[in-house]
Amino acid sequence: TFNLIYSLRSTMKSIIATTLLAGSATAFTSNAGSQSTSALKAMPDRMWDSMVDKNERSAALPFLPRAVNLDGSMPGDVGFDPFYLSSIPKNFSGLIQPPQWEDTPGIPTLYWMREAELKHSRVAMLAWFGWLATDGAFGVTMRFPGEIYSVESIPTAYEAHNVLVGQGSMGFLLLAVAVVEFCASAVLVEVGKGDSDREAGDFKLDPLSFLKEKSPEEVKKMKTREIANGRLAMLAFGAVATQTALEGGNTAFPYF
């Protein structure tokens, strides 16, 4: 009898202990699960989700999703932005003017980058032509009048920079560039304040009336040609400058 009572007591203790442990474990697991669910719901949205269009592929890079701002509406837009720089949300007006007390539209990333791309494209087209023209690549050696600009003073375009810096002639070029940049910045300030709806890179400079009385489709085609040639010119100028600067290379045209 004593053994039976002792056995029943031991069995009851085991059942009670097991029940308490199970209840504690269940309570702990339930709290942990709810905390994990709450933490997931509290996580902020990823910036990546707002930078790409997950339902469409890039035309230039089909293995990547399309950058959300490159929808093909701009001239020369082929969707090439592997680092998604055009999708970074940023107001660039602060780079050219102090912070404003009132709310302003500002200058979005895509506008700023297109402005910079067009500026560099136009400079590169002029620079590539100027480099080759001063070296006689088109049959005539084109130089400014004056002994300091002659072939005897400046043999090739490669030596032009150092020679003109030594002569002091680069001061005028620096002044001219400063005037152009000041005027361009003034226009961008108006855009940043919302006082101008000017397109990026549009200075209304069309002395030969290439765009006069043209349809929107023809205007876009001309602008696409400009940006395409400008991109090629940036590559071409970098190539010719590198080729002439290589050790053992030829600084005279054709630079081989």
Side-chain angles (χ1 to χ4, degrees):
T1 302
F2 177 78
N3 292 335
L4 179 60
I5 295 174
Y6 180 79
S7 177
L8 289 173
R9 181 182 294 179
S10 299
T11 303
M12 291 298 295
K13 287 183 178 180
S14 300
I15 293 173
I16 294 172
T18 303
T19 303
L20 291 175
L21 289 174
S24 300
T26 302
F28 179 79
T29 304
S30 178
N31 291 337
S34 61
Q35 289 176 359
S36 300
T37 304
S38 301
L40 287 174
K41 291 182 178 179
M43 290 179 64
D45 295 334
R46 295 191 308 166
M47 183 180 292
W48 171 260
D49 295 333
S50 61
M51 295 174 66
V52 301
D53 185 348
K54 298 179 180 179
N55 299 320
E56 188 175 347
R57 292 289 177 176
S58 167
L61 303 170
F63 53 88
L64 292 176
R66 177 179 67 84
V68 68
N69 290 327
L70 300 184
D71 56 3
S73 59
M74 288 193 314
D77 177 11
V78 294
F80 184 80
D81 187 8
F83 299 108
Y84 298 96
L85 300 178
S86 63
S87 301
I88 298 175
K90 182 176 176 61
N91 181 4
F92 280 87
S93 60
L95 297 177
I96 56 175
Q97 64 181 11
Q100 304 293 311
W101 290 107
E102 68 275 9
D103 292 333
T104 58
I107 301 177
T109 301
L110 187 59
Y111 187 99
W112 182 268
M113 289 188 171
R114 173 45 65 99
E115 182 83 19
E117 183 182 29
L118 283 170
K119 179 183 294 186
H120 284 84
S121 295
R122 292 161 180 168
V123 170
M125 286 188 281
L126 292 172
W128 181 86
F129 178 82
W131 189 298
L132 270 68
T134 56
D135 285 343
F138 305 108
V140 179
T141 302
M142 301 178 65
R143 301 291 180 93
F144 284 116
E147 182 62 27
I148 61 174
Y149 303 114
S150 65
V151 177
E152 290 74 20
S153 299
I154 307 176
T156 64
Y158 177 74
E159 287 94 357
H161 178 269
N162 292 341
V163 173
L164 292 176
V165 169
Q167 292 175 352
S169 302
M170 296 295 282
F172 173 76
L173 178 61
L174 180 62
L175 178 62
V177 171
V179 171
V180 172
E181 288 296 321
F182 178 80
C183 296
S185 298
V187 174
L188 291 177
V189 169
E190 294 183 355
V191 173
K193 290 182 176 180
D195 298 335
S196 174
D197 58 354
R198 161 188 178 271
E199 292 185 14
D202 184 7
F203 291 96
K204 306 298 181 183
L205 183 64
D206 187 17
L208 300 180
S209 301
F210 286 120
L211 303 181
K212 187 177 181 180
E213 298 180 355
K214 296 291 193 302
S215 66
E217 292 77 14
E218 291 174 320
V219 171
K220 185 176 181 179
K221 184 181 292 185
M222 292 292 291
K223 292 182 177 181
T224 300
R225 290 173 179 172
E226 180 191 27
I227 194 66
N229 283 279
R231 291 165 179 169
L232 180 60
M234 287 189 281
L235 294 173
F237 181 78
V240 70
T242 302
Q243 175 65 27
T244 54
L246 290 176
E247 185 177 357
N250 186 5
T251 59
F253 183 81
Y255 315 117
F256 296 110

